Amino acid sequence: MSDSTRTHWDTVYTTRAIDSVGWFQPTPGTSLRLVTANGQPSCSMIDVGAGASWLADELLDLGWTDVTALDVSPQALAIVRARLDGHGGSMSYVVANLVSWQPQRQYDLWHDRAVFHFLVDATDRQRYVDTLARAVRPGGVVVLGTFADDGPTQCSGLPTQRYDAKSLAAQFRTAFDLVHSERSEHVTPGAVVQPFTWVVLRRR
């Protein structure tokens, strides 16, 4: 994942309507359910690859007080900022390429819906794992969703890596234990069904 990633996603968020992109969800159902089942409003939580997702809105509405949205695209985060301006609660924004980001703090809960599956290069995947281990406190939780092993091979013109629960959890075995896995099916605005693999991991 190079610096051109920022240009790619900035272009997406400035040229396409938010509710027309393939990953759009009016309500982030699976993410919200797994995050709230494994955390509480007092938790510090980071949503990586947040894009223009409504997950932060939902959590703030539920009383979460320490939510961070990270994305490589400042255009995406500007959409969230404008939507949440004056909302209340503690909302932070980080513009960064995840594979080169140096976290300045640790979090109780890390959420990633559809960033990790874009890391088709093994070096980038290892950088992600190393960053994750630094950013999540011991005992903290990771909620992570990728395309399933029968899911799309591309998204937004970029290649993807696909996983079942076993192969996905194995990517993080050096520092995380698998505590839950499930499969979901996302229906895009164009009525295409995209299978996802979800795992919940706990930091040792």
Side-chain angles (χ1 to χ4, degrees):
M1 184 180 286
S2 69
D3 289 341
S4 63
T5 305
R6 171 175 172 168
T7 300
H8 174 87
W9 292 111
D10 273 348
T11 300
V12 168
Y13 283 105
T14 54
T15 61
R16 298 185 62 183
I18 297 305
D19 59 0
S20 72
V21 295
W23 54 92
F24 171 73
Q25 295 177 300
T27 301
T30 303
S31 295
L32 186 62
R33 174 171 53 80
L34 292 177
V35 166
T36 55
N38 291 279
Q40 53 189 346
S42 60
C43 287
S44 56
M45 179 270 189
I46 184 167
D47 183 13
V48 302
S53 167
W54 270 259
L55 179 59
D57 310 51
E58 297 281 355
L59 292 174
L60 292 176
D61 284 344
L62 291 172
W64 287 58
T65 57
D66 185 356
V67 179
T68 298
L70 180 149
D71 202 274
V72 71
S73 168
Q75 296 293 336
L77 292 183
I79 295 168
V80 181
R81 280 181 184 270
R83 203 171 62 225
L84 291 176
D85 184 39
H87 186 286
S90 179
M91 187 72 199
S92 302
Y93 302 90
V94 177
V95 176
N97 186 327
L98 193 54
V99 297
S100 59
W101 177 53
Q102 298 296 319
Q104 301 301 304
R105 59 175 294 193
Q106 289 190 313
Y107 299 89
D108 299 313
L109 200 151
W110 171 292
H111 172 266
D112 169 3
R113 175 181 178 257
V115 172
F116 190 70
H117 68 205
F118 282 113
L119 304 183
V120 296
D121 181 84
T123 299
D124 284 342
R125 290 197 295 273
Q126 187 59 54
R127 287 173 178 162
Y128 181 111
V129 172
D130 292 343
T131 298
L132 182 64
R134 292 195 303 272
V136 177
R137 67 165 181 80
V141 172
V142 177
V143 174
L144 193 150
T146 69
F147 285 148
D149 51 354
D150 57 341
T153 58
Q154 286 196 340
C155 179
S156 190
L158 300 175
T160 62
Q161 187 83 16
R162 302 176 298 169
Y163 299 92
D164 61 14
K166 183 178 180 180
S167 62
L168 184 55
Q171 298 288 316
F172 305 94
R173 62 181 176 269
T174 55
F176 294 86
D177 296 319
L178 176 67
V179 297
H180 173 74
S181 65
E182 64 182 74
R183 176 186 171 94
S184 71
E185 292 188 343
H186 167 63
V187 181
T188 73
V192 176
V193 177
Q194 295 179 336
F196 271 74
T197 294
W198 288 88
V199 294
V200 178
L201 310 169
R202 188 171 299 279
R203 177 77 163 91
R204 290 196 292 274

